[in-house]
Amino acid sequence: MGEGGVLVEWDWWTVGFGDAHAGAVGVLIGGSEPGPVYFDVGSGSGVPSTRHWSAYDGRYRRPRAEALRAVCACGWRGAAEYPLDWATIGDRPLYEADVDLAGPLADWTAHLSVVREAAVPLPEPLAALLVEMAERHG
């Protein structure tokens, strides 16, 4: 679970960066990112919600995404926006619409390249110490 009971579904993840740079397809409505989508499951105190791009399809009074972009767990947001063609998508759920996510994926991958180039490797003795500590407390 993410913050405030919101389920965060990351679309992309790498071993090298783990959760720190997990990537996802972000949604834009009116030029900004909307809040989470809530699912009506009847009565009860817990109301499930999500920020996964495929939930913003306008069905069941949910908001309808206008464009997609890459996002990263570190807070980075891709500059490129990829408009959705609702005339082609029609009233199908987004997860069934065969939406091309190559643009957002390429943008997130480019972001990781910049992060990787800026990363400073740990000296071997420090890396070994961290591994030893993790094994003791893992």
Side-chain angles (χ1 to χ4, degrees), residues 22-106:
V25 176
V27 170
L28 292 169
I29 299 174
S32 62
E33 293 181 26
V37 169
Y38 293 92
F39 298 100
D40 183 5
V41 293
S43 62
S45 61
V47 179
S49 63
T50 185
R51 289 185 183 270
H52 195 266
W53 66 272
S54 64
Y56 296 86
D57 57 11
R59 300 169 71 230
Y60 310 113
R61 298 190 330 238
R62 294 190 297 239
R64 183 184 250 191
E66 295 170 2
L68 304 176
R69 71 174 171 189
V71 300
C72 185
C74 72
W76 171 88
R77 299 297 188 254
E81 298 179 9
Y82 301 91
L84 290 169
D85 181 2
W86 285 102
T88 302
I89 295 169
D91 61 357
R92 289 181 292 169
L94 278 176
Y95 63 85
E96 293 178 357
D98 196 29
V99 174
D100 183 5
L101 302 177
L105 175 58

Side-chain angles (χ1 to χ4, degrees), residues 17 110-121:
F17 293 113
H111 163 66
L112 287 187
S113 294
V114 171
V115 170
R116 194 172 285 114
E117 288 174 12
V120 177

